[in-house]
């Protein structure tokens, strides 16, 4: 799974977050994140199970991607999930599609937690 945020003309956080089937997280803070650079850590079992549940509940892989015209100076959010032979990439801007709101909230919270945990080490 890949989740990323792009730049805007202001101070928008720019990063990528990858989570693989082995529960390994790779965070790459690029600009305006509390940690700039790579962080690698393992996602705890309960958090991984919650993530999988949110993906299933959102029916992300079963629905068509929604297209949006990019508004001026709004960061682009990209969510890409592959499971077995199914894969989907969704790009959105200032409005998160309703069916994936909880999934995106979880990922945004995870981004903050990964940066916080890396500072403790």
């Amino acid at each position: 799974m890949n989740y990323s945020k792009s730049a805007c003309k202001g101070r928008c956080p720019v990063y990528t977050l990858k989570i693989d089937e082995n529960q390994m997280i790779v965070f790459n803070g690029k600009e305006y994140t509390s940690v700039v650079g790579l962080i690698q850590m393992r996602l705890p079992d309960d958090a991984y199970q919650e993530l999988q549940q949110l993906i299933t509940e959102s029916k992300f892989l079963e629905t068509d991607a929604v297209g949006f015209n990019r508004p001026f100076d709004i960061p682009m959010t990209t969510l890409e999930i592959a499971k077995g032979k199914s894969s989907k990439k969704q790009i959105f801007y200032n409005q998160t599609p309703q069916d994936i709101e909880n999934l995106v909230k979880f990922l945004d919270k995870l981004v903050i937690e990964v940066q916080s945990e890396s500072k403790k080490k």
Side-chain angles (χ1 to χ4, degrees):
M1 186 189 99
N2 297 309
Y3 182 65
S4 64
K5 299 259 183 171
S6 72
C8 67
K9 294 206 183 259
R11 296 182 152 240
C12 302
V14 179
Y15 60 83
T16 60
L17 176 75
K18 295 181 182 188
I19 305 170
D20 69 19
E21 304 82 31
N22 297 317
Q23 298 174 225
M24 290 306 299
I25 298 171
V26 177
F27 172 84
N28 187 5
K30 298 177 182 179
E31 291 182 316
Y32 306 113
T33 55
S34 63
V35 175
V36 175
L38 290 174
I39 301 170
Q40 295 184 15
M41 61 180 17
R42 187 173 187 280
L43 186 62
D45 291 342
D46 58 336
Y48 187 75
Q49 292 304 318
E50 182 179 356
L51 173 61
Q52 294 305 310
Q53 182 69 31
L54 288 168
I55 291 170
T56 300
E57 288 174 2
S58 73
K59 299 183 180 179
F60 184 82
L61 293 169
E62 300 167 24
T63 58
D64 292 331
V66 178
F68 293 98
N69 291 327
R70 185 172 187 173
F72 178 73
D73 196 29
I74 301 291
M76 176 173 66
T77 301
T78 304
L79 175 60
E80 186 173 8
I81 298 174
K83 228 178 193 179
K85 294 183 180 182
S86 299
S87 67
K88 178 182 167 188
K89 181 178 183 176
Q90 173 73 61
I91 296 171
F92 50 97
Y93 301 96
N94 55 350
Q95 289 188 336
T96 303
Q98 188 175 4
D99 57 339
I100 61 171
E101 278 181 350
N102 290 335
L103 175 57
V104 169
K105 285 178 186 175
F106 177 89
L107 293 170
D108 287 340
K109 181 179 159 199
L110 185 60
V111 165
I112 293 167
E113 290 173 0
V114 166
Q115 294 175 82
S116 177
E117 281 297 314
S118 76
K119 288 182 172 185
K120 291 179 184 177
K121 295 179 180 180

